[in-house]
Amino acid sequence: MRHVILPEEKDGEHRRLPFYLAAEEWVARCLPAGDYFFSWRVDPTVICGRNQEIDKEVNLVYCRDHGIDVVRRRSGGGCVFADRQNFMFSFITDSDKVTEVFARYTSMIAESICKLGIEAYASGRNDILIGERKVAGNAFYHLPGRSIAHGTMLYDFDPVCLANALTPSKAKLESKGVKSVPKRVTCLKNEGIALSPEDFERFMIKEITAGEPYVVTGKDLEEIKGIEKGYYDPSFMRISASNNGTADKTHRVSRHRLIEGLGDFSVEYDIDETENAVRNMSISGDFFMNGDVEELLCKPLEGVKATREELERAVAKICPEKVIPGLDSQTFADILI
């Protein structure tokens, strides 16, 4: 696995998180076949999953007042808080198989930490735990022929910022058996790590990568910055929900399900009472996906009659498990109805 070396940040200036997400995309789209890895750190930032409703998951007022950046990534999963006290790891590989990529990535990270005398292990869909507490949350993003797994490794953390910046649903916390975010996380510093943050980063890179590194050039850097611009597009960020011009004779349907092993699902759509048809569907949550949820799940249901029979028939044709791994047609239909 090759280490990707990005140009140093300028003195006194730190890159915003979308730069590094764009760097992952660039590696996946532009570098030859093979496995690549790099690590990075950012100023205080909340990173939201592709399908999450930012307004509901993040305390935007608190983040604004405390200088915490809020961005959206292209991968699924839930919100995480990152700052200079923790590391972000990016793993890019040729495999298309979500489960295999996650298992390889989380095992690789956990095994490296174990060599430091800290008993870490991969757990559930996407977490790395020490004991019963999470030390790293991870997410997945698929591109044609390539996959990106990335995560946040907590070296240290500010429990006040973490508790106030994120506002996950009560159901999600209860499913973890806790009442607040800080109670279900730990960090390497609290677990007695003997290395400094800088030494820890060097250790992880040495453990995981081998061979000649790839050094990003000036031309590469300009291409990465071009990709980065897409992360600031208001239509991608979707901070404020919209009813998309809902007609007068409609009523809004809201559904919420927490599905063990898949994640949190919130589905909203209008029913056009004149035609009894589905309009303006949106699906949000912290699930993982192999494709664009809006294009592949929501748009095909536009105009479908709002009856169980018609929705079940339409959902069966969509094959939702191809978009969200593990979400079979019957489960998706049950969420909608």
Side-chain angles (χ1 to χ4, degrees), residues 16-18 43-47 63 66-71 81 232:
R16 291 180 67 187
L17 187 138
D43 289 335
T45 304
V46 171
I47 313 121
C63 289
H66 291 79
I68 299 171
D69 204 1
V70 178
V71 302
F81 176 81
Y232 300 111

Side-chain angles (χ1 to χ4, degrees), residues 24 88 132 134 151 153 158 168 181-182 190 206 241 252 310:
E24 295 176 331
M88 312 294 288
E132 296 300 317
K134 182 163 80 170
M153 173 62 62
D158 181 342
V181 176
N190 287 351
K206 183 178 179 181
R252 193 70 170 162
E310 291 298 320

Side-chain angles (χ1 to χ4, degrees), residues 6 133 197 226 235:
L6 295 165
R133 294 187 174 187
S235 65

Side-chain angles (χ1 to χ4, degrees), residues 3 13 15 39 69 79 85 89 124 137 145 167 218 276 312:
H3 177 211
E13 295 183 15
R15 297 186 180 105
S39 69
D69 204 1
C79 289
Q85 299 184 91
F89 295 138
T167 55
N276 192 34
E312 286 183 342

Side-chain angles (χ1 to χ4, degrees), residues 163-183:
N164 286 284
L166 305 183
T167 55
S169 69
K170 182 180 178 182
K172 184 175 179 180
L173 287 175
E174 287 177 346
S175 75
K176 305 292 184 180
V178 296
K179 294 183 179 180
S180 67
V181 176
K183 288 185 178 180

Side-chain angles (χ1 to χ4, degrees), residues 14-45:
H14 294 151
R15 297 186 180 105
R16 291 180 67 187
L17 187 138
F19 171 84
Y20 298 100
L21 300 179
E24 295 176 331
E25 278 197 59
W26 181 85
V27 170
R29 296 181 188 278
C30 301
L31 291 189
D35 294 340
Y36 299 89
F37 179 87
F38 63 96
S39 69
W40 37 285
R41 287 190 281 175
V42 293
D43 289 335
T45 304

Side-chain angles (χ1 to χ4, degrees), residues 1 10 25 102 141 147 227 258 287 306:
M1 186 180 311
K10 295 179 180 179
E25 278 197 59
F102 252 126
Y141 177 42
S147 293
I227 297 172
L258 182 63
F287 46 82

